[in-house]
Coordinates of all heavy atoms in Angstrom, one line a residue:
L1 N -38.7 -49.7 -40.0 CA -39.5 -48.6 -40.4 C -40.9 -49.1 -40.9 O -40.9 -50.1 -41.5 CB -38.9 -47.8 -41.5 CG -37.5 -47.2 -41.2 CD1 -37.0 -46.5 -42.5 CD2 -37.6 -46.1 -40.2
L2 N -41.9 -48.3 -40.7 CA -43.2 -48.6 -41.3 C -43.4 -47.7 -42.5 O -43.1 -46.5 -42.4 CB -44.3 -48.4 -40.3 CG -44.4 -49.4 -39.1 CD1 -45.5 -48.9 -38.2 CD2 -44.7 -50.8 -39.6
L3 N -43.9 -48.2 -43.6 CA -44.1 -47.4 -44.8 C -45.6 -47.3 -45.1 O -46.3 -48.3 -44.9 CB -43.4 -48.1 -46.0 CG -41.9 -48.2 -46.0 CD1 -41.4 -48.7 -47.4 CD2 -41.2 -46.9 -45.7
K4 N -46.0 -46.2 -45.6 CA -47.3 -46.0 -46.1 C -47.2 -45.7 -47.6 O -46.1 -45.3 -48.1 CB -48.1 -44.9 -45.4 CG -47.6 -43.5 -45.6 CD -48.5 -42.5 -45.0 CE -48.0 -41.1 -45.3 NZ -48.8 -40.1 -44.7
D5 N -48.3 -45.8 -48.3 CA -48.3 -45.4 -49.7 C -47.2 -46.2 -50.5 O -46.6 -45.6 -51.4 CB -48.2 -43.9 -49.9 CG -49.2 -43.1 -49.3 OD1 -50.4 -43.6 -49.1 OD2 -49.0 -42.0 -48.9
A6 N -47.0 -47.5 -50.2 CA -46.0 -48.2 -50.9 C -46.4 -48.3 -52.4 O -47.6 -48.5 -52.7 CB -45.9 -49.6 -50.3
H7 N -45.5 -48.1 -53.2 CA -45.7 -48.2 -54.7 C -44.6 -49.1 -55.3 O -43.4 -49.0 -54.9 CB -45.5 -46.8 -55.3 CG -45.6 -46.8 -56.8 ND1 -46.8 -47.0 -57.5 CD2 -44.6 -46.8 -57.7 CE1 -46.5 -47.0 -58.8 NE2 -45.2 -46.9 -59.0
W8 N -45.1 -50.0 -56.1 CA -44.2 -51.0 -56.7 C -44.1 -50.7 -58.2 O -45.1 -50.6 -58.9 CB -44.7 -52.4 -56.5 CG -44.8 -52.6 -55.0 CD1 -45.9 -52.6 -54.3 CD2 -43.7 -52.8 -54.1 NE1 -45.7 -52.8 -52.9 CE2 -44.3 -52.9 -52.8 CE3 -42.4 -53.0 -54.2 CZ2 -43.6 -53.2 -51.6 CZ3 -41.6 -53.2 -53.0 CH2 -42.2 -53.3 -51.8
V9 N -42.9 -50.6 -58.7 CA -42.6 -50.3 -60.1 C -43.3 -51.2 -61.1 O -43.9 -50.8 -62.1 CB -41.1 -50.3 -60.4 CG1 -40.8 -50.1 -61.9 CG2 -40.4 -49.1 -59.6
F10 N -43.4 -52.5 -60.7 CA -44.0 -53.5 -61.6 C -45.5 -53.7 -61.3 O -46.1 -54.6 -61.8 CB -43.3 -54.8 -61.6 CG -41.9 -54.7 -62.1 CD1 -40.8 -54.7 -61.2 CD2 -41.7 -54.5 -63.5 CE1 -39.5 -54.6 -61.7 CE2 -40.4 -54.3 -64.0 CZ -39.3 -54.4 -63.1
G11 N -46.1 -52.8 -60.5 CA -47.5 -52.8 -60.2 C -47.9 -53.6 -59.0 O -48.8 -53.2 -58.3
A12 N -47.3 -54.7 -58.7 CA -47.7 -55.5 -57.6 C -46.4 -55.7 -56.7 O -45.3 -55.8 -57.2 CB -48.2 -56.9 -58.0
A13 N -46.7 -55.9 -55.4 CA -45.6 -56.1 -54.5 C -44.9 -57.5 -54.8 O -45.6 -58.4 -55.1 CB -46.1 -56.1 -53.1
P14 N -43.6 -57.5 -54.7 CA -42.9 -58.8 -54.8 C -43.4 -59.7 -53.6 O -43.9 -59.2 -52.6 CB -41.4 -58.5 -54.6 CG -41.3 -57.0 -54.9 CD -42.7 -56.4 -54.5
H15 N -43.2 -61.0 -53.8 CA -43.5 -62.0 -52.7 C -42.7 -61.6 -51.4 O -41.5 -61.5 -51.5 CB -43.2 -63.4 -53.1 CG -43.5 -64.4 -52.1 ND1 -44.8 -64.7 -51.7 CD2 -42.7 -65.1 -51.3 CE1 -44.8 -65.6 -50.8 NE2 -43.5 -65.9 -50.5
M16 N -43.4 -61.4 -50.3 CA -42.7 -61.0 -49.1 C -42.7 -62.2 -48.1 O -43.6 -63.0 -48.1 CB -43.5 -59.8 -48.4 CG -43.4 -58.6 -49.3 SD -44.2 -57.2 -48.3 CE -44.6 -56.1 -49.7
P17 N -41.7 -62.2 -47.3 CA -40.6 -61.3 -47.1 C -39.5 -61.5 -48.2 O -39.4 -62.5 -48.7 CB -40.0 -61.6 -45.7 CG -40.3 -63.1 -45.5 CD -41.6 -63.3 -46.3
F18 N -38.7 -60.4 -48.4 CA -37.6 -60.5 -49.3 C -36.5 -59.5 -48.8 O -36.7 -58.6 -48.1 CB -38.0 -60.3 -50.7 CG -38.4 -58.9 -51.0 CD1 -37.6 -57.9 -51.5 CD2 -39.8 -58.5 -50.9 CE1 -38.0 -56.6 -51.8 CE2 -40.2 -57.3 -51.2 CZ -39.4 -56.3 -51.6
K19 N -35.3 -59.8 -49.3 CA -34.1 -58.9 -49.0 C -33.8 -58.1 -50.2 O -33.9 -58.5 -51.3 CB -32.9 -59.8 -48.6 CG -33.1 -60.5 -47.3 CD -31.9 -61.2 -46.8 CE -32.1 -61.9 -45.5 NZ -30.9 -62.6 -45.0
C20 N -33.4 -56.9 -49.9 CA -33.0 -55.9 -51.0 C -32.1 -54.9 -50.3 O -31.6 -55.0 -49.2 CB -34.2 -55.3 -51.7 SG -35.2 -54.3 -50.6
C21 N -31.9 -53.8 -51.1 CA -31.2 -52.6 -50.5 C -32.1 -51.4 -50.6 O -33.1 -51.4 -51.3 CB -29.9 -52.3 -51.4 SG -28.7 -53.6 -51.2
A22 N -31.8 -50.5 -49.8 CA -32.7 -49.3 -49.7 C -31.9 -48.1 -49.4 O -30.7 -48.2 -48.9 CB -33.8 -49.5 -48.7
R23 N -32.5 -46.9 -49.6 CA -31.9 -45.7 -49.1 C -33.0 -44.7 -48.7 O -34.0 -44.7 -49.3 CB -30.9 -45.0 -50.1 CG -31.4 -44.7 -51.4 CD -30.4 -43.9 -52.3 NE -29.2 -44.6 -52.5 CZ -28.6 -44.6 -53.7 NH1 -29.0 -43.9 -54.7 NH2 -27.5 -45.3 -53.8
I24 N -32.7 -43.9 -47.7 CA -33.7 -42.9 -47.2 C -33.2 -41.5 -47.5 O -33.9 -40.6 -47.2 CB -34.0 -43.1 -45.7 CG1 -32.8 -43.1 -44.9 CG2 -34.7 -44.4 -45.5 CD1 -33.0 -43.2 -43.4
R25 N -32.0 -41.4 -48.0 CA -31.5 -40.0 -48.3 C -30.8 -40.1 -49.7 O -30.2 -41.1 -50.0 CB -30.4 -39.6 -47.3 CG -31.1 -39.3 -46.0 CD -30.0 -38.8 -44.9 NE -30.7 -38.5 -43.7 CZ -31.1 -39.4 -42.9 NH1 -31.0 -40.7 -43.1 NH2 -31.8 -39.1 -41.8
Y26 N -30.9 -39.0 -50.4 CA -30.2 -38.8 -51.7 C -28.8 -39.0 -51.4 O -28.2 -38.4 -50.5 CB -30.6 -37.4 -52.2 CG -29.9 -37.1 -53.6 CD1 -30.4 -37.8 -54.7 CD2 -29.0 -36.2 -53.7 CE1 -29.8 -37.5 -55.9 CE2 -28.4 -35.9 -54.9 CZ -28.8 -36.6 -56.0 OH -28.2 -36.3 -57.2
R27 N -28.1 -39.7 -52.3 CA -26.6 -40.0 -52.2 C -26.2 -40.9 -51.1 O -25.0 -41.1 -50.8 CB -25.8 -38.7 -52.2 CG -26.0 -37.9 -53.5 CD -25.0 -36.8 -53.5 NE -25.2 -35.9 -54.6 CZ -24.6 -34.8 -54.8 NH1 -23.7 -34.4 -54.0 NH2 -24.9 -34.1 -55.9
Q28 N -27.1 -41.4 -50.3 CA -26.8 -42.3 -49.2 C -26.3 -43.6 -49.8 O -26.9 -44.1 -50.8 CB -28.0 -42.6 -48.3 CG -27.8 -43.6 -47.2 CD -29.0 -44.0 -46.5 OE1 -30.1 -43.9 -47.1 NE2 -28.9 -44.4 -45.3
P29 N -25.3 -44.2 -49.3 CA -24.9 -45.6 -49.8 C -26.1 -46.5 -49.6 O -26.9 -46.4 -48.7 CB -23.7 -46.0 -49.0 CG -23.2 -44.7 -48.4 CD -24.4 -43.8 -48.3
M30 N -26.2 -47.5 -50.5 CA -27.2 -48.5 -50.3 C -27.1 -49.2 -49.0 O -26.0 -49.5 -48.5 CB -27.1 -49.6 -51.5 CG -27.4 -49.0 -52.8 SD -29.1 -48.7 -53.0 CE -29.1 -48.4 -54.8
Q31 N -28.2 -49.5 -48.4 CA -28.3 -50.2 -47.1 C -29.0 -51.5 -47.2 O -30.1 -51.5 -47.8 CB -29.0 -49.3 -46.1 CG -28.3 -47.9 -45.9 CD -27.0 -48.0 -45.3 OE1 -26.8 -48.6 -44.3 NE2 -26.0 -47.4 -46.0
S32 N -28.5 -52.6 -46.7 CA -29.1 -53.9 -46.8 C -30.3 -53.9 -45.9 O -30.3 -53.3 -44.7 CB -28.2 -55.0 -46.3 OG -27.1 -55.1 -47.3
C33 N -31.4 -54.5 -46.3 CA -32.6 -54.5 -45.5 C -33.5 -55.7 -45.9 O -33.2 -56.4 -46.9 CB -33.4 -53.3 -45.7 SG -34.0 -53.0 -47.3
R34 N -34.5 -56.0 -45.1 CA -35.5 -57.0 -45.3 C -36.9 -56.3 -45.3 O -37.2 -55.5 -44.5 CB -35.5 -58.0 -44.1 CG -36.5 -59.1 -44.2 CD -36.3 -60.0 -43.0 NE -37.3 -61.1 -43.0 CZ -38.5 -61.0 -42.5 NH1 -38.9 -59.9 -41.8 NH2 -39.3 -62.0 -42.5
I35 N -37.7 -56.7 -46.3 CA -39.0 -56.1 -46.5 C -40.0 -57.2 -46.1 O -39.9 -58.3 -46.6 CB -39.2 -55.7 -47.9 CG1 -38.1 -54.8 -48.4 CG2 -40.5 -55.0 -48.1 CD1 -37.8 -53.5 -47.6
A36 N -41.0 -56.8 -45.3 CA -42.1 -57.8 -45.0 C -43.4 -57.0 -44.8 O -43.4 -55.8 -44.8 CB -41.7 -58.4 -43.6
K37 N -44.5 -57.8 -44.8 CA -45.8 -57.2 -44.6 C -45.9 -56.8 -43.1 O -45.4 -57.6 -42.2 CB -46.9 -58.2 -44.9 CG -47.0 -58.5 -46.4 CD -48.2 -59.4 -46.6 CE -48.3 -59.8 -48.1 NZ -49.3 -60.7 -48.4
S38 N -46.5 -55.7 -42.8 CA -46.7 -55.3 -41.5 C -47.8 -56.1 -40.8 O -48.8 -56.5 -41.4 CB -47.1 -53.8 -41.5 OG -47.5 -53.4 -40.2
K39 N -47.5 -56.5 -39.5 CA -48.5 -57.2 -38.7 C -49.4 -56.2 -38.0 O -50.4 -56.6 -37.4 CB -47.8 -58.1 -37.8 CG -47.1 -59.2 -38.5 CD -46.4 -60.2 -37.5 CE -45.6 -61.2 -38.3 NZ -44.9 -62.1 -37.5
I40 N -49.1 -54.9 -38.1 CA -50.0 -53.9 -37.5 C -51.2 -53.7 -38.3 O -51.1 -53.5 -39.6 CB -49.2 -52.6 -37.3 CG1 -48.0 -52.8 -36.4 CG2 -50.1 -51.5 -36.8 CD1 -47.1 -51.6 -36.3
K41 N -52.4 -53.7 -37.8 CA -53.6 -53.6 -38.5 C -53.9 -52.1 -38.8 O -54.7 -51.5 -38.1 CB -54.7 -54.3 -37.8 CG -54.5 -55.8 -37.8 CD -55.7 -56.6 -37.4 CE -55.3 -58.0 -37.4 NZ -56.3 -58.9 -37.5
N42 N -53.2 -51.6 -39.7 CA -53.3 -50.2 -40.0 C -53.2 -50.0 -41.5 O -52.2 -50.3 -42.1 CB -52.2 -49.4 -39.4 CG -52.2 -47.9 -39.7 OD1 -52.9 -47.5 -40.6 ND2 -51.5 -47.1 -38.9
K43 N -54.3 -49.6 -42.2 CA -54.3 -49.6 -43.6 C -53.3 -48.7 -44.2 O -52.9 -48.8 -45.4 CB -55.7 -49.2 -44.1 CG -56.7 -50.3 -43.9 CD -58.1 -49.9 -44.4 CE -59.1 -51.0 -44.0 NZ -60.4 -50.7 -44.5
K44 N -52.9 -47.7 -43.5 CA -51.9 -46.7 -44.0 C -50.5 -47.3 -44.0 O -49.7 -46.9 -44.8 CB -51.9 -45.4 -43.1 CG -53.2 -44.6 -43.3 CD -53.0 -43.3 -42.6 CE -54.3 -42.5 -42.8 NZ -54.2 -41.3 -42.1
S45 N -50.1 -48.2 -43.1 CA -48.8 -48.7 -43.1 C -48.8 -50.3 -43.3 O -49.2 -51.0 -42.3 CB -48.1 -48.4 -41.8 OG -48.8 -48.8 -40.7
N46 N -48.5 -50.7 -44.4 CA -48.6 -52.2 -44.7 C -47.3 -52.8 -45.0 O -47.3 -54.0 -45.3 CB -49.6 -52.4 -45.8 CG -49.3 -51.7 -47.1 OD1 -48.3 -51.0 -47.1 ND2 -50.0 -51.9 -48.1
V47 N -46.2 -52.1 -44.9 CA -44.9 -52.6 -45.3 C -43.9 -52.2 -44.1 O -43.9 -51.1 -43.7 CB -44.4 -52.1 -46.6 CG1 -43.0 -52.6 -46.9 CG2 -45.3 -52.5 -47.7
V48 N -43.1 -53.2 -43.7 CA -42.1 -53.0 -42.7 C -40.7 -53.1 -43.4 O -40.5 -54.0 -44.2 CB -42.1 -54.0 -41.6 CG1 -41.0 -53.9 -40.6 CG2 -43.5 -53.9 -40.9
V49 N -39.8 -52.2 -43.1 CA -38.4 -52.2 -43.6 C -37.5 -52.4 -42.4 O -37.5 -51.6 -41.5 CB -38.0 -50.9 -44.4 CG1 -36.6 -51.0 -44.9 CG2 -39.0 -50.6 -45.5
E50 N -36.8 -53.5 -42.4 CA -35.9 -53.8 -41.3 C -34.5 -53.7 -41.8 O -34.0 -54.6 -42.6 CB -36.1 -55.2 -40.7 CG -37.5 -55.4 -40.1 CD -37.8 -56.8 -39.8 OE1 -37.1 -57.7 -40.2 OE2 -38.8 -57.0 -39.1
F51 N -33.8 -52.6 -41.4 CA -32.4 -52.5 -41.9 C -31.4 -53.4 -41.2 O -31.6 -53.6 -40.0 CB -32.0 -51.0 -41.8 CG -32.6 -50.1 -42.8 CD1 -33.7 -49.4 -42.5 CD2 -32.0 -50.0 -44.0 CE1 -34.3 -48.5 -43.4 CE2 -32.6 -49.1 -45.0 CZ -33.8 -48.4 -44.7
Q52 N -30.4 -53.8 -41.9 CA -29.4 -54.7 -41.3 C -28.6 -53.9 -40.2 O -28.3 -54.4 -39.2 CB -28.4 -55.2 -42.3 CG -27.4 -56.2 -41.8 CD -26.6 -56.8 -42.9 OE1 -26.9 -56.6 -44.1 NE2 -25.5 -57.5 -42.6
N53 N -28.3 -52.6 -40.5 CA -27.6 -51.7 -39.6 C -28.5 -50.5 -39.3 O -29.3 -50.1 -40.1 CB -26.4 -51.2 -40.3 CG -25.4 -52.3 -40.6 OD1 -25.1 -53.1 -39.7 ND2 -24.9 -52.3 -41.8
A54 N -28.4 -50.0 -38.1 CA -29.2 -48.9 -37.6 C -29.0 -47.7 -38.6 O -27.9 -47.5 -39.1 CB -28.8 -48.5 -36.2
Q55 N -30.1 -47.0 -38.8 CA -30.0 -45.8 -39.7 C -30.1 -44.5 -38.9 O -30.8 -44.5 -37.9 CB -31.2 -45.9 -40.7 CG -31.2 -47.1 -41.6 CD -29.9 -47.1 -42.5 OE1 -29.7 -46.3 -43.3 NE2 -29.1 -48.2 -42.3
W56 N -29.4 -43.5 -39.4 CA -29.4 -42.3 -38.7 C -30.6 -41.4 -39.0 O -30.9 -41.1 -40.1 CB -28.1 -41.5 -39.1 CG -28.0 -40.2 -38.4 CD1 -27.6 -40.0 -37.1 CD2 -28.2 -38.9 -38.9 NE1 -27.7 -38.6 -36.8 CE2 -28.0 -37.9 -37.9 CE3 -28.6 -38.4 -40.2 CZ2 -28.2 -36.6 -38.1 CZ3 -28.8 -37.1 -40.3 CH2 -28.6 -36.2 -39.3
A57 N -31.4 -41.1 -37.9 CA -32.5 -40.2 -37.9 C -33.5 -40.3 -39.1 O -33.8 -39.4 -39.7 CB -31.9 -38.8 -37.9
P58 N -34.1 -41.5 -39.3 CA -35.2 -41.6 -40.2 C -36.4 -40.8 -39.6 O -36.6 -40.9 -38.4 CB -35.5 -43.1 -40.3 CG -34.9 -43.7 -39.1 CD -33.8 -42.8 -38.6
A59 N -37.1 -40.1 -40.5 CA -38.2 -39.3 -40.0 C -39.5 -39.5 -40.8 O -39.4 -39.8 -42.0 CB -37.8 -37.8 -40.0
P60 N -40.6 -39.4 -40.1 CA -41.9 -39.5 -40.8 C -41.9 -38.5 -41.9 O -41.5 -37.4 -41.8 CB -42.9 -39.2 -39.7 CG -42.2 -39.5 -38.4 CD -40.8 -39.2 -38.6
G61 N -42.4 -39.0 -43.1 CA -42.5 -38.1 -44.3 C -41.4 -38.3 -45.3 O -41.5 -37.9 -46.4
Q62 N -40.3 -38.9 -44.8 CA -39.2 -39.2 -45.7 C -39.5 -40.4 -46.6 O -40.3 -41.3 -46.2 CB -37.9 -39.5 -45.0 CG -37.2 -38.4 -44.4 CD -35.9 -38.8 -43.7 OE1 -35.9 -39.6 -42.7 NE2 -34.8 -38.4 -44.3
S63 N -39.0 -40.4 -47.8 CA -39.2 -41.5 -48.7 C -38.2 -42.6 -48.5 O -37.0 -42.2 -48.2 CB -39.2 -41.0 -50.2 OG -40.3 -40.2 -50.4
V64 N -38.5 -43.8 -48.7 CA -37.6 -44.9 -48.8 C -37.7 -45.5 -50.2 O -38.8 -45.8 -50.6 CB -38.0 -46.0 -47.7 CG1 -37.0 -47.2 -47.8 CG2 -37.9 -45.4 -46.3
V65 N -36.6 -45.7 -50.8 CA -36.6 -46.3 -52.2 C -35.9 -47.6 -52.1 O -34.8 -47.7 -51.5 CB -35.8 -45.4 -53.2 CG1 -35.9 -46.0 -54.6 CG2 -36.5 -44.0 -53.2
L66 N -36.5 -48.6 -52.6 CA -36.0 -50.0 -52.6 C -35.4 -50.4 -53.9 O -36.0 -50.1 -54.9 CB -37.2 -51.0 -52.2 CG -38.0 -50.5 -51.0 CD1 -39.2 -51.4 -50.8 CD2 -37.1 -50.6 -49.7
Y67 N -34.3 -51.1 -53.8 CA -33.5 -51.5 -55.0 C -33.1 -53.0 -55.0 O -32.9 -53.5 -54.0 CB -32.2 -50.7 -55.1 CG -32.3 -49.2 -55.1 CD1 -32.5 -48.5 -54.0 CD2 -32.3 -48.6 -56.4 CE1 -32.6 -47.1 -54.1 CE2 -32.4 -47.2 -56.5 CZ -32.5 -46.5 -55.3 OH -32.6 -45.1 -55.4
S68 N -33.0 -53.5 -56.2 CA -32.4 -54.8 -56.4 C -31.3 -54.5 -57.4 O -31.5 -54.3 -58.6 CB -33.4 -55.8 -57.1 OG -32.7 -57.0 -57.4
G69 N -30.0 -54.5 -56.8 CA -28.9 -54.0 -57.6 C -29.1 -52.5 -58.0 O -29.4 -51.7 -57.1
S70 N -29.1 -52.2 -59.2 CA -29.3 -50.8 -59.6 C -30.8 -50.6 -60.1 O -31.2 -49.5 -60.4 CB -28.4 -50.4 -60.8 OG -28.6 -51.2 -61.9
E71 N -31.6 -51.6 -60.0 CA -33.0 -51.6 -60.5 C -33.9 -51.1 -59.3 O -33.8 -51.7 -58.2 CB -33.4 -52.9 -61.0 CG -34.9 -53.0 -61.4 CD -35.2 -54.4 -61.9 OE1 -34.7 -55.4 -61.4 OE2 -36.0 -54.4 -62.9
V72 N -34.7 -50.1 -59.5 CA -35.7 -49.7 -58.5 C -36.8 -50.7 -58.5 O -37.5 -51.0 -59.5 CB -36.2 -48.3 -58.8 CG1 -37.3 -47.8 -57.8 CG2 -35.0 -47.3 -58.8
L73 N -37.1 -51.1 -57.3 CA -38.3 -52.0 -57.0 C -39.5 -51.2 -56.7 O -40.6 -51.6 -57.1 CB -38.0 -53.0 -55.9 CG -36.8 -54.0 -56.1 CD1 -36.6 -54.8 -54.8 CD2 -37.1 -54.9 -57.3
G74 N -39.4 -50.2 -55.9 CA -40.5 -49.4 -55.5 C -40.1 -48.6 -54.3 O -38.9 -48.3 -54.0
G75 N -41.0 -48.2 -53.5 CA -40.8 -47.4 -52.3 C -42.0 -47.0 -51.6 O -43.1 -47.4 -51.9
G76 N -41.8 -46.1 -50.6 CA -42.9 -45.6 -49.8 C -42.5 -44.5 -48.9 O -41.4 -44.0 -49.0
V77 N -43.4 -44.1 -48.1 CA -43.2 -42.9 -47.2 C -43.1 -43.4 -45.7 O -44.0 -44.2 -45.3 CB -44.3 -41.9 -47.4 CG1 -44.1 -40.7 -46.4 CG2 -44.3 -41.4 -48.8
I78 N -42.2 -43.0 -45.0 CA -42.0 -43.4 -43.6 C -43.2 -42.8 -42.8 O -43.5 -41.7 -42.9 CB -40.7 -42.9 -43.0 CG1 -39.5 -43.5 -43.7 CG2 -40.6 -43.3 -41.5 CD1 -38.2 -43.0 -43.4
V79 N -43.8 -43.7 -42.0 CA -44.9 -43.3 -41.1 C -44.3 -42.8 -39.8 O -43.5 -43.5 -39.2 CB -45.9 -44.5 -40.8 CG1 -47.0 -44.1 -39.8 CG2 -46.5 -44.9 -42.1

């Protein structure tokens, strides 16, 4: 997935790439993923989320929340 408007709880993005968990739906079980900088030259989408397993029907406009354990790292909006 490509994310826009990425926001990081601690103000700055962690060193990328990194592995964490994410969810795109409320009450969805945590999903393992890898976060990296986008290689697409588009100022709106600067973060890529690569899920370990395919996700069901992610849609533009949905939020993705990133976690390290139970701690929220940040998130963004699917492009």
Side-chain angles (χ1 to χ4, degrees):
L1 301 175
L2 291 175
L3 297 186
K4 69 175 182 176
D5 301 330
H7 174 77
W8 304 101
V9 173
F10 296 107
H15 180 71
M16 294 188 202
F18 65 94
K19 292 184 179 183
C20 66
C21 291
R23 60 172 61 142
I24 56 176
R25 289 181 181 75
Y26 179 70
R27 294 188 187 174
Q28 175 189 28
M30 294 287 193
Q31 303 294 310
S32 296
C33 62
R34 179 180 177 270
I35 309 301
K37 290 182 183 177
S38 174
K39 293 180 182 177
I40 297 172
K41 295 190 180 203
N42 179 344
K43 291 181 182 178
K44 290 185 179 180
S45 58
N46 58 357
V47 176
V48 175
V49 181
E50 299 172 348
F51 285 96
Q52 184 174 351
N53 297 311
Q55 299 299 299
W56 181 75
Q62 283 181 295
S63 293
V64 176
V65 181
L66 308 172
Y67 298 86
S68 176
S70 62
E71 179 180 34
V72 174
L73 298 174
V77 178
I78 298 172
V79 176

